[in-house]
Structure formats: C-alpha cells, structure tokens
Amino acid sequence: MNHYLFSQKLYLKPNFSEFGWQIFIFICLLVVVLSLKTKYFWTALDVGIIAALPEEIMFRGVIMGWILEKITRFKQTYVNVSIALGISGVVFGCFHYINLLHQSFGFTTLQVMNAVGLGMILGAIYVKSGSLFIPIATHFIWDFFATLKQGMPETNYMSVNGQDIFMEFIILAIQASIAIWIVCFHFENNLLLQKIEKK
C-alpha cells in the first residue's frame, strides 16, 4: 500500500554513534531474556511483536513520515513537527477503536486516548532518533510489559465514569507535553528532520 499510495521512505538505520539508543536496546533485550520463565512470556512476546512492528511501520513510518515531509517541506519548525505528531497520534489512537469487538465503548475510549498520547511520544522518539527501529523497540517493550503482567483479557465491559475520563485527559496532556519536549529539546538535533532535509 505504501509503495502505491505514499511512496514514503522508511528510515530504519539507527545512528550507531548515539550510545544511549544502544543501551536502551540492550536493556530491552535483557528484560525479555530475564522474563523467559514468567507465566505470560510467550503471549507477551507475541503481542509485542505483532503490535509493534506493523503499527510502527504504518503509523510512524508511513503516515507520520508522510505528514512530516509535507508539512516541513518549506520550513522545519517545532510547531510543524508538533502538528504532525498530533495528527499521527490521533489516527493511531482512533485505530484502537477496533477493540470495540470485545470491549465497552467507554473503556475503549480510555484506551484510544492513551494510545493518542503514546503515539505522540513514539513519533517524537522517531523524530529525535531518526530511526524507526527505536520506536519499534519502545512500542514492543511497552506492550510486552503490559501483557506480561496479566496476559490478554478476553473481554472488558467495565463501566467508565467522568473521573476516569478526566484523569485520562490529564495523562494525555502529560504525554503530549513529553512528546513536544522531546522534539523541542535541542531541536537542531532531530535526526529524522536532518534525513528528510537531505532527501
């Protein structure tokens, strides 16, 4: 689909001179190995791989990458990048409404709001690192931990009240602030923007 509709280049190769990302990947691998004997290990591994790889390629690699290239074509500013993060985060979040097949609307909406914020953070990590491999690893370890703790619930039809939604708005605002801070902190060092500029 990407080949025919967007022709969006995916930037996978990490910057090997950035030692922090290497430590992060090593820690992710170490956590997976140390979790090998836990009850939900194989389920967590499946969920981590099945969710992280295609979702990051689609939502960060293709959709956010395409929006980012279009919106920063004439000028790369933190506002333009933040808009791209926001749009791709909302698209990523709304994708989670697919969970209505086995969850209540209220609980799924909380999940969607959380996914919007997480999507913005993952997008910011992609912009900063210049490598899709880093948000793939981050997404994997996030889903891996979430599933490792309690496995995959079959259904969730719990009711949601106004306080739950208010708290999720607060969490979303914090997540969005973290994403924008990641992008704005030493804006000139956003490696993805450098790669797009050279394209």
Side-chain angles (χ1 to χ4, degrees):
M1 184 175 90
N2 177 40
H3 177 73
Y4 293 109
L5 293 179
F6 298 102
S7 299
Q8 178 59 42
K9 181 174 181 181
L10 301 177
Y11 300 94
L12 288 166
K13 185 178 177 184
N15 183 354
F16 292 107
S17 65
E18 295 285 334
F19 195 61
W21 300 120
Q22 295 173 23
I23 293 172
F24 172 70
I25 298 299
F26 174 76
I27 291 170
C28 288
L29 292 172
L30 186 63
V31 165
V32 170
V33 170
L34 292 176
S35 306
L36 192 58
K37 300 217 178 215
T38 57
K39 181 178 179 182
Y40 296 113
F41 174 80
W42 293 107
T43 304
L45 190 66
D46 285 349
V47 169
I49 292 170
I50 290 169
L53 196 59
E55 287 181 5
E56 289 310 302
I57 289 171
M58 182 189 316
F59 293 104
R60 253 60 65 189
V62 176
I63 294 173
M64 194 196 82
W66 184 79
I67 293 169
L68 197 58
E69 282 192 11
K70 299 302 178 204
I71 208 166
T72 62
R73 179 178 290 167
F74 302 108
K75 190 166 185 184
Q76 293 182 349
T77 66
Y78 68 90
V79 173
N80 289 347
V81 176
S82 299
I83 290 169
L85 289 178
I87 293 170
S88 64
V90 168
V91 172
F92 175 65
C94 289
F95 171 75
H96 286 75
Y97 272 117
I98 196 170
N99 293 334
L100 283 171
L101 296 170
H102 57 87
Q103 294 177 169
S104 67
F105 179 78
F107 185 80
T108 304
T109 299
L110 292 181
Q111 198 175 51
V112 164
M113 291 170 68
N114 188 266
V116 170
L118 179 62
M120 289 182 70
I121 291 173
L122 291 168
I125 291 170
Y126 183 33
V127 171
K128 184 62 76 179
S129 68
S131 169
L132 194 55
F133 186 66
I134 309 303
I136 287 172
T138 308
H139 192 158
F140 166 81
I141 208 70
W142 179 277
D143 286 348
F144 180 81
F145 268 133
T147 310
L148 193 67
K149 185 179 174 185
Q150 56 193 0
M152 281 291 289
E154 290 183 16
T155 59
N156 195 329
Y157 288 100
M158 66 177 252
S159 61
V160 173
N161 58 40
Q163 185 178 357
D164 294 330
I165 293 185
F166 177 75
M167 286 305 297
E168 196 57 53
F169 268 116
I170 299 293
I171 292 167
L172 175 58
I174 292 168
Q175 290 171 316
S177 300
I178 290 169
I180 292 168
W181 178 81
I182 290 169
V183 166
C184 292
F185 184 73
H186 293 292
F187 186 76
E188 68 282 358
N189 293 337
N190 288 317
L191 299 181
L192 181 61
L193 297 180
Q194 295 173 17
K195 290 179 178 181
I196 289 172
E197 200 169 30
K198 290 176 186 174
K199 186 178 171 186

